[in-house]
């Protein structure tokens, strides 16, 4: 693994900052770039930082405020970079630290902020500390930085407890000791190549505060914290017992997830971040049982935002959506944090496919479904999301209305969850297929070469080129929506909505002069015309003060 520390651009107070409101993040629209699938600068079939840099003007013109980059650090890629072997180096497949520096500077010059991913729950098994822990053997202090335990059973042949990996199979792997004998086991909540750190060990905290500073000195505007709910494990690593782990996940506090101790870590991190100028932020990837527990992560002295996975998991159903919106706003208000809204990311079925699937199928399972219905609902869901108070996340390609690719052949699959059986995060390659930029050409403009996952034959028709300037295209809908959101303070601001009376299956709310109506039913519904139509995800007809809102359509009105 390359060590690039010496090549790091000097910590640079001259890194340009982005001018703007100090609380820019409270209503920011943040675009997730999954670097391997966004744009390929060197034509090797794999996206890279150079590719991202050259596409920054596209993101500026789209109208987003910030870009969150999934990991691009040195990594053996056992979990697409969420297995980090060197937290201060860029993997050669993505470029160099100089490319990262250029990317941050250019983004800032365009008024875009950069948020990087931080992976503190686990390292790669190729991280220096883990290699040393294996080499130095049982009882060595280097083992204390991870969770090594003797096995159960007569000869230690059984795992130390009954926890399962999120990717399937036991959460423990037995090592062969330096003398060649079968030895201790180590904990990995994800793949065996991702050993969990022991956050009780002070060196772990010291190391991560130093990593934070490294990237803050590079000029990043914030961090998305991977598995932010996982670092602290319950004392003694207790068995789950009779409970079925899969049914508990996401519904209960687990001995390895959402333990109260994680909050001490965030209070320390916040002190580090606040030493830096420029209104930088933390956002938590914390899968908690309730939005009320999510709110604990964004108390005033902890993190700034946390992804709203309860919203992501909600079906296209007015009553369910209204409940989750109310609950979210009610949970965030007391801690003074903005709500966040997210529909897609690199771990779940893209919402254009999810909303075509029968309700109850969950966020991981992919069926082709009716694409037309899925896209109609996805567009309507996006306008609804962008009308809510708080910050919104957009996953690359959703602005093109991309569906999940549901028919990838087994031999091209890379998601470790695919190979370990159905876990929480199953079969994620389908939302990671490189995105199309042009109608034709090698990999539809993703790069000059191929594409690390095959793109479907109809990708060109969904490309940026095909949709640009095309009235009614999903890309133009996103551009228009983000332009309206920039012009009008009343969309993302505040912490409440005023619900209006609406027929069953329809959501209607007012925020000052602004009214949003979302029809989640399969039928057109009559609604009062609330003023001037600002934008709609489908065709609205108005007559005599009444508007017909078609099936699966959202409309924005301005009363003035
Ligand atoms: C959450 C990330 O989003 C996912 O892609 C990854 O596999 C796990 N955390 C483990 O790091």
């Amino acid at each position: 693994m390359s060590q690039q520390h010496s090549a790091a651009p000097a910590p640079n107070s001259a890194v340009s900052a982005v001018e703007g409101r100090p609380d820019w993040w409270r209503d920011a629209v943040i675009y997730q770039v999954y670097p391997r699938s966004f744009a390929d600068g060197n034509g090797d079939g794999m996206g890279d930082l150079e590719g991202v840099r050259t596409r920054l003007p596209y993101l500026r013109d789209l109208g987003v405020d910030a870009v969150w980059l999934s990991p691009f650090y040195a990594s053996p890629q056992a979990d697409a970079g969420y297995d980090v072997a060197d937290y201060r180096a860029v993997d050669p497949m993505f470029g160099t630290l100089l490319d990262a520096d250029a990317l941050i500077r250019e983004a800032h010059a365009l008024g875009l902020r950069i948020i990087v991913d931080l992976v503190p729950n686990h390292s790669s098994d190729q991280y220096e500390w883990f290699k040393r822990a294996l080499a130095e053997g049982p009882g060595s202090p280097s083992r204390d930085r991870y969770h090594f335990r003797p096995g159960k059973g007569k000869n230690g042949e059984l795992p130390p407890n009954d926890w399962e990996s999120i990717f399937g199979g036991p959460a423990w792997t037995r090592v062969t000791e330096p003398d060649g004998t079968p030895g201790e086991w180590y904990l990995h909540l994800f793949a065996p190549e991702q050993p969990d750190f022991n956050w009780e060990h002070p060196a772990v905290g010291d190391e991560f505060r130093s990593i934070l500073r490294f990237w803050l000195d590079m000029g990043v505007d914030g961090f998305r914290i991977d598995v932010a709910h996982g670092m602290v494990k319950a004392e003694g690593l207790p068995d789950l017992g009779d409970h079925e782990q899969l049914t508990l996940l996401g519904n209960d506090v687990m001995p390895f997830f959402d333990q109260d101790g994680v909050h001490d870590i965030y209070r320390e991190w916040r002190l580090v971040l606040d030493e830096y100028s420029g209104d930088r932020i933390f956002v938590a990837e914390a899968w908690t049982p309730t939005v009320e527990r999510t709110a604990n992560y964004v108390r005033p002295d902890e993190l700034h935002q946390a992804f709203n996975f309860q919203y992501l998991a909600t079906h296209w159903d007015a009553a369910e959506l209204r409940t989750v919106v109310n609950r979210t706003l009610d949970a965030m208000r007391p801690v003074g944090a903005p709500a966040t809204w997210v529909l897609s990311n690199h771990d779940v079925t893209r919402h254009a496919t999810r909303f075509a699937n029968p309700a109850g199928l969950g966020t991981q399972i992919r069926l082709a479904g009716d694409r037309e219905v899925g896209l109609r609902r996805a567009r309507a869901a996006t306008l609804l999301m962008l009308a809510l108070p708080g910050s919104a996340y957009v996953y690359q390609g959703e602005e093109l209305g991309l569906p999940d690719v549901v028919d990838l052949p087994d031999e091209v699959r890379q998601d470790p969850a695919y190979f370990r059986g159905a876990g929480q995060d199953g079969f994620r390659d389908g939302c990671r297929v490189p995105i199309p930029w042009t109608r034709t050409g090698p990999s539809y403009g993703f790069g000059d070469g191929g594409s690390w996952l095959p793109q479907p034959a109809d990708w060109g028709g969904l490309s940026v080129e095909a949709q640009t300037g095309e009235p009614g295209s999903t890309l133009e809908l996103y551009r228009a929506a983000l332009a309206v959101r920039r012009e009008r303070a009343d969309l993302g601001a505040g912490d409440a909505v005023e619900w209006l009376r609406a027929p069953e299956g329809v959501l209607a709310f007012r925020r000052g002069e602004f009214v949003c109506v979302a029809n989640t039913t399969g039928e057109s519904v009559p609604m009062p015309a609330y003023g001037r139509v600002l934008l709609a995800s489908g065709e609205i007809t108005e007559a005599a003060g009444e508007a017909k809102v078609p099936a699966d359509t959202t409309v924005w009105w301005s009363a003035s």
Side-chain angles (χ1 to χ4, degrees):
M1 203 50 56
S2 71
Q3 299 285 322
Q4 297 176 20
H5 304 183
S6 54
N12 196 343
S13 56
V15 176
S16 53
V18 175
E19 301 287 322
R21 290 179 287 120
D23 57 354
W24 64 274
W25 46 276
R26 289 190 165 270
D27 59 1
V29 176
I30 301 179
Y31 184 98
Q32 180 188 0
V33 164
Y34 193 63
R36 35 168 65 221
S37 305
F38 186 66
D40 173 13
N42 63 3
D44 66 354
M46 181 60 70
D48 48 36
L49 294 185
E50 175 62 7
V52 182
R53 189 183 65 74
T54 57
R55 302 293 183 174
L56 287 172
Y58 166 79
L59 297 175
R60 189 246 345 249
D61 296 345
L62 182 61
V64 300
D65 301 291
V67 178
W68 148 39
L69 294 154
S70 280
F72 49 78
Y73 314 111
S75 160
Q77 306 288 320
D79 183 21
Y82 282 96
D83 49 319
V84 181
D86 187 344
Y87 290 85
R88 300 178 184 82
V90 173
D91 195 283
M93 74 189 244
F94 293 124
T96 65
L97 275 175
L98 290 171
D99 293 327
D101 180 61
L103 171 57
I104 295 164
R105 284 171 194 277
E106 278 193 36
H108 286 179
L110 293 172
L112 291 168
R113 292 179 160 90
I114 295 287
I115 293 171
V116 292
D117 225 302
L118 186 73
V119 189
N121 178 67
H122 44 264
S123 67
S124 158
D125 62 352
Q126 296 306 306
Y127 187 52
E128 232 17 79
W129 286 8
F130 192 74
K131 290 200 285 189
R132 205 181 313 155
L134 285 188
E136 291 178 0
S140 67
S142 53
R143 289 224 165 165
D144 296 342
R145 291 170 180 172
Y146 293 91
H147 296 280
F148 278 88
R149 295 283 185 284
K152 286 187 175 160
K154 206 149 144 253
N155 300 306
E157 71 282 9
L158 298 173
N161 73 15
D162 62 3
W163 298 356
E164 287 163 33
S165 153
I166 305 302
F167 292 157
W172 297 89
T173 289
R174 192 171 195 186
V175 304
T176 303
E177 300 300 358
D179 65 4
T181 57
E184 292 186 318
W185 298 68
Y186 67 90
L187 177 69
H188 52 86
L189 292 180
F190 295 89
E193 297 88 350
Q194 295 168 295
D196 280 50
F197 283 117
N198 171 17
W199 272 84
E200 301 292 321
H201 195 301
V204 177
D206 291 348
E207 175 68 345
F208 273 90
R209 284 192 299 277
S210 154
I211 294 164
L212 286 177
R213 288 182 189 286
F214 179 86
W215 289 101
L216 290 166
D217 289 338
M218 287 276 294
V220 302
D221 302 284
F223 299 90
R224 174 265 190 192
I225 305 166
D226 187 61
V227 199
H229 54 313
M231 284 114 89
V232 172
K233 280 50 178 191
E235 182 78 45
L237 311 182
D239 277 335
L240 283 168
D242 291 339
H243 306 289
E244 182 63 43
Q245 181 169 311
L246 263 182
T247 58
L248 290 177
L249 268 179
N251 298 316
D252 234 318
V253 174
M254 311 284 279
F256 47 81
F257 278 163
D258 201 23
Q259 292 287 311
D260 290 337
V262 290
H263 299 289
D264 297 337
I265 299 171
Y266 299 134
R267 289 191 194 99
E268 287 184 8
W269 286 13
R270 183 62 183 260
L271 296 176
V272 174
L273 195 83
D274 285 350
E275 284 174 30
Y276 286 77
S277 62
D279 310 302
R280 312 188 197 201
I281 66 160
F282 285 120
V283 52
E285 187 228 11
W287 294 82
T288 66
T290 61
V291 70
E292 290 76 16
R293 283 200 71 89
T294 304
N296 290 339
Y297 290 75
V298 289
R299 288 177 284 200
D301 58 348
E302 296 192 39
L303 310 176
H304 298 75
Q305 294 187 347
F307 295 130
N308 187 344
F309 291 122
Q310 276 78 18
Y311 183 72
L312 184 148
T314 303
H315 303 124
W316 181 238
D317 175 279
E320 283 186 41
L321 284 162
R322 182 173 168 154
T323 303
V324 76
V325 168
N326 281 338
R327 244 181 114 165
T328 302
L329 295 172
D330 289 349
M332 294 299 148
R333 211 171 289 120
V335 293
T340 66
W341 312 103
V342 55
L343 291 167
S344 280
N345 65 32
H346 65 294
D347 289 330
V348 299
T349 316
R350 283 185 177 277
H351 62 282
T353 297
R354 205 168 68 233
F355 289 145
N357 287 173
L361 207 54
T363 58
Q364 306 292 338
I365 314 224
R366 293 144 157 95
L367 292 180
D370 181 331
R371 264 178 71 167
E372 210 182 298
V373 171
L375 180 59
R376 209 164 64 209
R377 291 180 178 168
R379 290 160 55 100
T382 295
L383 283 201
L384 171 62
M385 165 175 95
L386 292 175
L388 292 169
S391 177
Y393 280 79
V394 171
Y395 175 50
Q396 66 178 38
E398 71 169 73
E399 77 276 22
L400 305 176
L402 294 188
D404 240 65
V405 180
V406 294
D407 54 1
L408 286 170
D410 289 356
E411 59 276 15
V412 304
R413 299 268 186 184
Q414 304 223 355
D415 181 359
Y418 184 70
F419 301 100
R420 288 179 66 84
Q424 181 206 20
D425 292 358
F427 318 150
R428 300 168 298 175
D429 294 313
C431 62
R432 299 173 176 182
V433 173
I435 65 171
W437 293 89
T438 53
R439 285 181 205 269
T440 54
S443 60
Y444 303 105
F446 166 64
D448 292 336
S451 150
W452 68 278
L453 281 174
Q455 298 158 301
D458 63 356
W459 234 218
L462 295 169
S463 64
V464 172
E465 183 186 30
Q467 296 196 40
T468 294
E470 192 57 41
S473 74
T474 302
L475 178 55
E476 292 302 345
L477 181 71
Y478 270 73
R479 285 179 173 151
L482 293 172
V484 172
R485 204 174 143 111
R486 277 181 168 236
E487 272 159 28
R488 302 182 63 106
D490 47 359
L491 270 81
D495 60 8
V497 296
E498 180 198 334
W499 296 106
L500 303 172
R501 278 161 62 100
E504 205 182 319
V506 178
L507 285 174
F509 60 86
R510 182 191 295 282
R511 324 213 22 239
E513 297 277 277
F514 173 81
V515 172
C516 176
V517 170
N519 175 10
T520 68
T521 72
E523 311 289 327
S524 151
V525 290
M527 291 294 292
Y530 285 102
R532 182 166 55 90
V533 173
L534 291 170
L535 198 60
S537 66
E539 197 104 342
I540 306 297
T541 48
E542 283 186 330
E546 196 180 89
K548 276 212 171 4
V549 182
D552 297 322
T553 299
T554 297
V555 197
W556 290 359
W557 270 289
S558 177
S560 61

